[in-house]
Amino acid sequence: MLPFETLQEAEVAFGRNLTFAETLWFNYSAQKSDYFLYCHNTIFLFIFYTLLPLPYVIMELMRSQRIDKFKIQPKMTNTLWDMLDCYKRVLKTFVIAVVPLQIISFPVIQMIGIRTSLPLPSGSEIFMQIFAYFVVEDYANYWLHRLLHQKWGYENIHRVHHEYTAPIGFAAPYAHWAEVIILGLASFLGPLLAPGHMITFWLWMIVRQMEAVETHSGYDFPWSPLKYIPFYGGAIFHDYHHYVGGKSQSNFASVFTYCDYIYGTNKGYRYQKEVFEKKREKLN
């Protein structure tokens, strides 16, 4: 809840007029508790998880030779009912794991200092913080994910996520409830180390989910602007991890490729990618 009763009080306190974005934020958040604002994160996760995979669902249902040339594993097909079943299972996990985690984690949000107050962060500040969150999350996720591929972790927890040897958009968060919590800690580590505004926190969770859906989409488009991000793994990189399955000791990182390169866990992928590209050149 903001410590100002009116816009005029806020402008007097800052010695300037509020920006358009700050005015919108004031009008929306002034009379709402910080806890209520924090709970928006759960709503956003649900909305974006529902909407983001829909283009890939449509492509999967409209399979043709034109679409299949972008599908990473074209021999694999998913019916509408297969994808809806995945969606319903993920929603159950949200209710079991994500919602309670959101409720009990609010004291941590308060403790580390994620704020809802004015002024709002600048665009460059938001960008730099989210970039830092990606780097921190990627490194932490690499080791937690690699740990889950050890015998006990895989058999008891991580095998659920690998039920999809050819992932689909809805399967991005499809996992055992314990894995959702474990890997969720990696996503929370960046804001924990460099807390910012609640809006930055919302955007981070939304953008991270967008990336996860794209990575699990099962499609690779040559015109994707994400290909211009240095060291970005993308759908092909993670699809290989699912294709190999439980025995996979490769491609553990969630977003980038540098951890797998540094620690030597991308050798199989590099070999298979070279073989695949040679075959494709012959076909062309």
Side-chain angles (χ1 to χ4, degrees), residues 8-274:
Q8 289 71 25
E9 284 186 25
E11 290 175 343
V12 169
F14 295 127
R16 62 172 174 82
N17 293 331
L18 298 184
T19 65
F20 177 71
E22 288 173 334
T23 301
L24 289 178
W25 180 250
F26 180 90
N27 290 333
Y28 181 73
S29 66
Q31 301 303 317
K32 295 179 176 64
S33 69
D34 288 355
Y35 178 70
F36 181 79
L37 294 172
Y38 175 58
C39 287
H40 282 48
N41 194 49
T42 304
I43 299 171
F44 293 148
L45 287 175
F46 169 75
I47 292 173
F48 282 89
Y49 168 67
T50 301
L51 297 179
L52 291 172
L54 291 182
Y56 300 110
V57 170
I58 294 171
M59 284 188 286
E60 193 70 14
L61 298 176
M62 297 175 61
R63 292 285 295 274
S64 66
Q65 189 173 1
R66 181 178 296 180
I67 293 175
D68 277 2
K69 68 180 181 179
F70 302 118
K71 189 168 175 63
I72 300 170
Q73 297 187 47
K75 293 183 179 180
M76 298 295 293
T77 59
N78 295 280
T79 66
L80 176 62
W81 305 115
D82 292 333
M83 292 183 281
L84 287 177
D85 181 64
C86 178
Y87 177 75
K88 289 188 293 184
R89 288 171 182 253
V90 169
L91 290 188
K92 288 180 181 178
T93 306
F94 272 13
V95 173
I96 293 171
V98 176
V99 174
L101 187 63
Q102 290 284 304
I103 294 172
I104 65 175
S105 61
F106 179 66
V108 180
I109 291 292
Q110 288 182 306
M111 181 182 68
I112 64 178
I114 291 180
R115 63 185 182 88
T116 61
S117 59
L118 293 173
L120 294 183
S122 65
S124 60
E125 182 182 344
I126 292 173
F127 176 82
M128 292 305 297
Q129 282 195 303
I130 290 179
F131 173 74
Y133 295 169
F134 265 115
V135 174
V136 171
E137 191 272 348
D138 188 70
Y139 189 81
N141 187 286
Y142 172 87
W143 288 106
L144 290 172
H145 187 188
R146 191 169 174 177
L147 184 64
L148 287 172
H149 269 267
Q150 301 304 308
K151 183 177 175 60
W152 188 93
Y154 185 85
E155 292 179 355
N156 292 278
I157 299 176
H158 192 51
R159 64 174 178 79
V160 175
H161 186 63
H162 275 274
E163 288 176 12
Y164 285 88
T165 55
I168 57 176
F170 278 134
Y174 178 81
H176 191 285
W177 65 266
E179 178 172 344
V180 173
I181 294 174
I182 292 169
L183 296 185
L185 294 175
S187 298
F188 193 72
L189 188 57
L192 182 67
L193 295 174
H197 198 276
M198 185 66 74
I199 289 178
T200 306
F201 185 75
W202 289 349
L203 288 173
W204 156 239
M205 291 298 178
I206 291 169
V207 172
R208 179 65 184 90
Q209 189 171 53
M210 291 172 64
E211 191 281 330
V213 169
E214 191 274 337
T215 300
H216 288 82
S217 67
Y219 288 86
D220 179 64
F221 301 106
W223 57 78
S224 173
L226 297 176
K227 290 183 176 291
Y228 295 98
I229 299 176
F231 307 108
Y232 181 69
I236 289 183
F237 186 79
H238 192 68
D239 201 281
Y240 174 80
H241 178 81
H242 277 265
Y243 178 75
V244 176
K247 296 180 180 180
S248 177
Q249 293 299 315
S250 180
N251 298 22
F252 293 114
S254 57
V255 181
F256 302 111
T257 60
Y258 66 90
C259 279
D260 285 286
Y261 181 82
I262 291 171
Y263 299 112
T265 50
N266 69 342
K267 294 177 181 178
Y269 167 73
R270 284 159 57 191
Y271 171 76
Q272 293 295 338
K273 187 178 181 181
E274 288 176 5

